Amino acid sequence: MTAVRALWFRDPVLSILDQRELPRRTVVRRLSRVEDVAEAIRTLAVRGAPAIGVAAAYGMVVAERGGRHTPERAAGLLRATRPTAYDLFVGVETVRRAWASGGDPLAAADAYRTRIVEECHAIGTAGAPLFATARRVLTHCNAGALATVEWGTALAPIRVARRNGARLFVWVDETRPLLQGSRLTAWELARERIPHAIIADNAAGHYLATGQVDAVIVGADRIARNGDFANKIGTYEKAVVAHENGVPFYVAAPWSTFDARRASGASIPVEERGEDEVLEVGGRRLAPSASRARNPAFDVTPAKFVTAYVTPAGVVRQRAVGRAISEAARARAFAPD
Amino acid sequence: MTAVRALWFRDPVLSILDQRELPRRTVVRRLSRVEDVAEAIRTLAVRGAPAIGVAAAYGMVVAERGGRHTPERAAGLLRATRPTAYDLFVGVETVRRAWASGGDPLAAADAYRTRIVEECHAIGTAGAPLFATARRVLTHCNAGALATVEWGTALAPIRVARRNGARLFVWVDETRPLLQGSRLTAWELARERIPHAIIADNAAGHYLATGQVDAVIVGADRIARNGDFANKIGTYEKAVVAHENGVPFYVAAPWSTFDARRASGASIPVEERGEDEVLEVGGRRLAPSASRARNPAFDVTPAKFVTAYVTPAGVVRQRAVGRAISEAARARAFAPD
């Protein structure tokens, strides 16, 4: 288990570490209505695709305990929060089925949570050998314990490799506009004393081009059947530039991120968030009052730029990803949306 | 002439618009000692390669009027401020020669200033036809009037095309860490009511990949003989991603940015600035206290990613850039460092 936990459930309340406040303050929010859970997801108090899925799974339990909603209505509230992360839909559907069929939603949510944590640990074990020699690793956004409940996706192999004795250094893209890298990934790494340096997103290309990055690893919000994937805005640029420089580029994700019904990345819905996230920094407006902004929260990276996917079942090379996804979908035995 | 001027000289004082304060406040700094001019350049109160060159040229005049320094010592003070922009060295050397040979340094500085403004206007005229059909333009950092005294380099063709009736829309990279895009380029565009949207630097790739950018144009801090060039950190990523997507990528610069003695970009000195520029945003620390940062201010983009250079003598395709540079160097008839 890792030192950080993004959320925990004590019947009937879901508690989350409010990620908007980190690293300045450690604030726990107690969510006792499904509407509060939905709002926490919408506002990024809880974020990261796997963590969103688990939060939403418990959000269904919160709704059931509250007694004010049908399974369908609760699921609708949670699904409407954010469109891109597939895990949200998987987490909601997993519990909705249990609840609608008269089962215990809490048991379903607990099992879902356990599965995600175990899969993230398996990702760490599977991916660690990639970092036995790749000592200088670049990551984008936060795909650590905060994003996944425990371990992380992109950070799990780094954590396991480090425990196995690898000496690693992590380049942390700050990840504008919301700075999940400099606020959250750096916070996780600092707590475990993993050497790292924060860089402006703009600087990643410089380090890739000058031979100072041995590998790139990121998480994902949704992976299509052909291996195209959506992840935090800016991921696409890093993937293209890594490819240009012959630096391996890895995508780490649990099965809940793989969308087997989506043929390619072209149809993945990309959330656009409010312009104030770009126009303001730390709550202060730095742009001219007459200027507007655009704020896509994700981009889609074509599979051709991915060296391999780090999955709970091992490292899957780009060409083999379709088969791995199909098997994961059959194991799940339902389509969540 | 454009509505914005970055600096002006009233004997014996150099006045600059303090670019650290924009767009929130319009603050003019009066610099009456060469040390003050050097400090203004070092701290980015005045920035942008051509503007740095002109400020340094007048800095030499300020030094001569002050009577405390030899031409060599004044030149040394100014040259030590920032290593990457070639214009700094050209501006200093232009006035040092006049002063050291008994000429009027003010006449030399005035002539240098006039030349830079005329060259920027010529860049605008030469480059405007590129934007007759390329209506959605991406730019990085600020290469406008603030960066060049008047007109700009990257923004000059946009300004001239607009005055010629072209309907343009500008994607403005915010340009972390110092936000010269969202603070300065947006401010210039807003004053002239040129439609634009600020985006996180991370989002440029998304718009390039989804067919929403017709051309990219940037300025430069130093261009080597083979066409490799240094510019604000992040430029390299935009160039690689533009190339990947078949979007034309233009570099606009006056002759003072062309370093004919530098064979390639490999040896261009890249300034690394203080980590606080990354760790703090708008004066507030957002990163964990235990985390460190790295902060290269520039990167080097290989010539192969450049479609063409927009020069005072016209649009020069990438293959022809070496000859154009040699001619410019012969016309200047001195090597500044």
Side-chain angles (χ1 to χ4, degrees), chain A:
Chain A
M1 189 181 130
T2 43
V4 175
R5 275 192 305 166
L7 57 86
W8 54 95
F9 186 78
R10 299 279 178 275
D11 209 351
V13 176
L14 175 64
S15 294
I16 62 158
L17 200 53
D18 190 334
Q19 300 191 33
R20 299 167 302 183
E21 303 279 355
L22 289 172
R24 294 171 72 87
R25 299 195 304 161
T26 303
V27 176
V28 174
R29 306 267 174 217
R30 292 168 49 85
L31 311 174
S32 51
R33 300 186 317 147
V34 63
E35 291 84 355
D36 299 335
V37 178
E39 185 65 9
I41 294 171
R42 187 179 297 112
T43 60
L44 278 57
V46 58
R47 38 111 345 245
I52 287 172
V54 175
Y58 283 115
M60 292 294 287
V61 181
V62 168
E64 190 264 352
R65 299 308 199 235
R68 294 181 297 116
H69 296 298
T70 62
E72 287 64 35
R73 174 145 166 74
L77 279 173
L78 290 162
R79 284 195 203 104
T81 52
R82 301 193 69 194
T84 305
Y86 193 60
D87 311 63
L88 169 68
F89 303 93
V90 176
V92 166
E93 180 62 10
T94 299
V95 181
R96 190 200 64 77
R97 292 188 158 231
W99 178 4
S101 62
D104 180 6
L106 178 54
D110 279 344
Y112 184 79
R113 177 200 184 285
T114 299
R115 174 151 42 106
I116 294 297
V117 172
E118 288 176 355
E119 288 187 8
C120 286
H121 189 211
I123 287 167
T125 305
L130 299 171
F131 301 98
T133 54
R135 288 169 52 168
R136 298 163 300 175
V137 184
L138 172 72
T139 191
H140 188 70
C141 197
N142 172 265
L146 290 168
T148 64
V149 186
E150 291 180 33
W151 293 102
T153 49
L155 294 194
I158 290 171
R159 288 193 153 106
V160 174
R162 188 118 191 296
R163 290 173 190 200
N164 293 347
R167 296 183 59 181
L168 291 168
F169 171 85
V170 184
W171 294 107
V172 179
D173 278 354
E174 65 172 8
T175 317
R176 280 280 290 155
L178 293 178
L179 302 171
Q180 291 95 334
S182 59
R183 292 192 304 108
L184 307 178
T185 297
W187 183 75
E188 290 195 35
L189 296 174
R191 283 169 68 99
E192 299 183 24
R193 301 183 188 281
I194 298 176
H196 64 283
I198 300 166
I199 55 174
D201 303 298
N202 282 324
H206 170 73
Y207 291 112
L208 284 162
T210 53
Q212 299 182 70
V213 181
D214 300 314
V216 184
I217 187 165
V218 297
D221 285 81
R222 192 186 290 242
I223 304 174
R225 206 162 63 232
N226 71 340
D228 295 352
F229 74 103
N231 191 46
K232 178 55 51 197
I233 190 76
T235 300
Y236 167 71
E237 289 196 15
K238 311 311 160 191
V240 173
V241 176
H243 188 263
E244 166 67 22
N245 290 284
V247 176
F249 186 95
Y250 303 113
V251 180
W255 297 122
S256 53
T257 307
F258 288 83
D259 181 355
R261 294 203 305 173
R262 184 106 17 198
S264 80
S267 65
I268 295 178
V270 170
E271 178 184 8
E272 178 146 0
R273 296 184 60 84
E275 66 178 355
D276 285 349
E277 292 180 355
V278 175
L279 296 171
E280 297 177 0
V281 185
R284 183 177 168 211
R285 181 159 179 135
L286 295 173
S289 56
S291 294
R292 307 296 303 268
R294 292 286 300 277
N295 185 22
F298 303 95
D299 56 26
V300 174
T301 300
K304 68 175 176 178
F305 296 112
V306 179
T307 306
Y309 304 82
V310 187
T311 78
V315 176
V316 178
R317 294 282 146 182
Q318 187 250 310
R319 285 181 198 169
V321 70
R323 200 177 58 221
I325 294 170
S326 300
E327 286 166 16
R330 270 195 295 278
R332 189 161 58 225
F334 67 81
D337 55 353

Side-chain angles (χ1 to χ4, degrees), chain B residues 228-319:
Chain B
D228 295 352
F229 74 103
N231 191 44
K232 178 55 51 198
I233 191 73
T235 301
Y236 168 70
E237 289 197 15
K238 310 312 160 193
V240 172
V241 176
H243 188 264
E244 165 68 22
N245 290 285
V247 176
F249 186 95
Y250 302 113
V251 180
W255 297 122
S256 53
T257 306
F258 288 83
D259 181 357
R261 294 203 307 173
R262 185 100 25 192
S264 80
S267 64
I268 294 178
V270 170
E271 177 184 9
E272 177 145 0
R273 296 183 60 84
E275 65 177 356
D276 285 348
E277 291 180 355
V278 175
L279 296 171
E280 297 177 359
V281 184
R284 184 178 167 210
R285 181 159 180 135
L286 295 173
S289 55
S291 294
R292 307 295 303 268
R294 292 287 299 277
N295 186 20
F298 303 95
D299 56 26
V300 175
T301 300
K304 68 175 175 177
F305 297 113
V306 178
T307 307
Y309 304 83
V310 187
T311 78
V315 175
V316 178
R317 293 284 146 182
Q318 187 252 309
R319 284 181 199 169

